[in-house]
């Protein structure tokens, strides 16, 4: 069954960040980034348990149950305010979640649901932008742009339990990494200027 779904490539490195010291190291690494995908995994009550930040080559899984709010803010505030780094999320709720986690100014952020709807509108012969959002999930956007959907059966997984299982790490990482992959594919389409 897994061959029917888009999988995280083996070449993508998974790095878990589960201490304030590791988060400080990640903050230094972030200075060289040009584009990142962002996603969160929440507990049943809505509290975020995991923040995923992915570049083209590495997906960082930040354990929000292990790092301090202060260090998380110290990481998020400059990352989210840096205009030179393109930030990608899916749905308007992603910015709200990032702000709850401590981000203040969010610059150079692209809602990939909005980008996907605009892409659908360009390909459509008729319809409105609001109609293009119908049924547009991250999984359907992956299928439309990359040829395979995402397996979303694991979204109800218990992300509070530690250590995370390997399949949970891959699932979480893929949700952030795929945003960068879709962005790159859309930017490389004929008639598009490559930005990141």
């Amino acid at each position: 069954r897994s061959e029917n779904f888009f999988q995280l490539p083996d070449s993508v490195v998974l790095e878990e960040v589960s201490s304030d010291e590791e988060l400080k190291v990640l903050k230094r690494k972030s200075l060289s980034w040009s584009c990142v995908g962002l996603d969160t995994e929440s507990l049943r009550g809505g509290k975020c348990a995991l923040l995923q930040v992915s570049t083209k080559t590495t997906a960082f899984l930040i354990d929000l149950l292990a790092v301090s709010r202060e260090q998380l803010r110290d990481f998020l505030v400059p990352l989210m305010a840096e205009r030179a780094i393109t930030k990608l999320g899916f749905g308007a709720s992603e910015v709200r979640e990032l702000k709850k986690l401590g981000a203040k100014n969010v610059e150079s952020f692209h809602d990939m649901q909005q980008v996907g709807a605009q892409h659908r509108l360009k390909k459509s012969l008729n319809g409105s932008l609001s109609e293009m959002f119908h049924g547009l999930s991250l999984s359907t956007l992956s299928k439309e742009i990359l040829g395979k959907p995402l397996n979303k059966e694991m979204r109800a997984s218990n992300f509070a339990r530690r250590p995370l299982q390997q399949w949970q790490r891959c699932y979480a990482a893929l949700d952030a990494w795929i945003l960068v992959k879709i962005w790159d594919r859309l930017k490389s389409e004929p008639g598009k200027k490559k930005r990141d």
Side-chain angles (χ1 to χ4, degrees):
R1 248 179 74 87
S2 65
E3 67 275 355
N4 297 330
F5 297 102
F6 203 95
Q7 302 291 311
L8 187 70
D10 291 337
S11 61
V12 177
V13 176
L14 288 177
E15 280 192 35
E16 291 187 63
V17 178
S18 55
S19 73
D20 286 353
E21 280 307 309
E22 291 171 342
L23 195 53
K24 288 177 186 175
V25 171
L26 183 58
K27 182 179 175 183
R28 288 190 294 274
K29 287 181 183 181
S30 72
L31 299 173
S32 66
W33 296 341
S34 62
C35 182
V36 292
L38 301 157
D39 190 47
T40 56
E41 299 301 334
S42 297
L43 305 177
R44 286 192 174 85
K47 179 182 176 186
C48 286
L50 196 65
L51 170 63
Q52 305 95 269
V53 180
S54 186
T55 66
K56 291 178 188 180
T57 59
T58 307
F60 302 94
L61 306 177
I62 302 171
D63 186 346
L64 300 177
L65 305 179
V67 299
S68 72
R69 295 285 284 182
E70 180 183 341
Q71 285 303 315
L72 183 60
R73 264 191 311 277
D74 286 351
F75 167 71
L76 275 178
V77 168
L79 171 66
M80 298 310 291
E82 178 54 60
R83 290 181 181 177
I85 301 173
T86 299
K87 276 79 69 182
L88 309 169
F90 193 86
S93 63
E94 207 60 55
V95 171
R96 283 193 301 276
E97 288 300 326
L98 292 165
K99 287 188 173 186
K100 282 185 202 173
L101 294 174
K104 295 192 182 333
N105 297 328
V106 179
E107 299 288 341
S108 303
F109 182 87
H110 298 274
D111 176 352
M112 292 301 288
Q113 189 175 35
Q114 179 78 32
V115 170
Q118 290 169 344
H119 177 75
R120 279 180 164 182
L121 186 60
K122 286 180 189 168
K123 298 252 183 230
S124 167
L125 296 176
N126 57 28
S128 67
L129 182 61
S130 62
E131 292 171 329
M132 298 302 131
F133 281 95
H134 181 71
L136 184 57
S137 65
L138 184 54
S139 181
T140 57
L141 183 60
S142 174
K143 182 172 176 40
E144 290 173 17
I145 305 302
L146 304 174
K148 286 187 178 184
L150 303 179
N151 185 345
K152 300 307 275 180
E153 291 175 2
M154 293 169 261
R155 84 176 117 203
S157 173
N158 183 356
F159 282 95
R161 187 174 294 142
R162 299 293 184 268
L164 292 174
Q165 301 296 311
Q166 180 63 17
W167 60 266
Q168 288 176 302
R169 290 191 291 270
C170 289
Y171 169 85
L174 180 59
D175 275 0
W177 180 84
I178 202 82
L179 296 166
V180 178
K181 180 75 173 171
I182 292 169
W183 177 259
D184 283 347
R185 177 69 54 89
L186 289 173
K187 292 296 169 190
S188 67
E189 284 186 349
K192 294 275 187 178
K193 227 171 47 175
K194 189 138 170 94
R195 198 178 136 202
D196 285 296

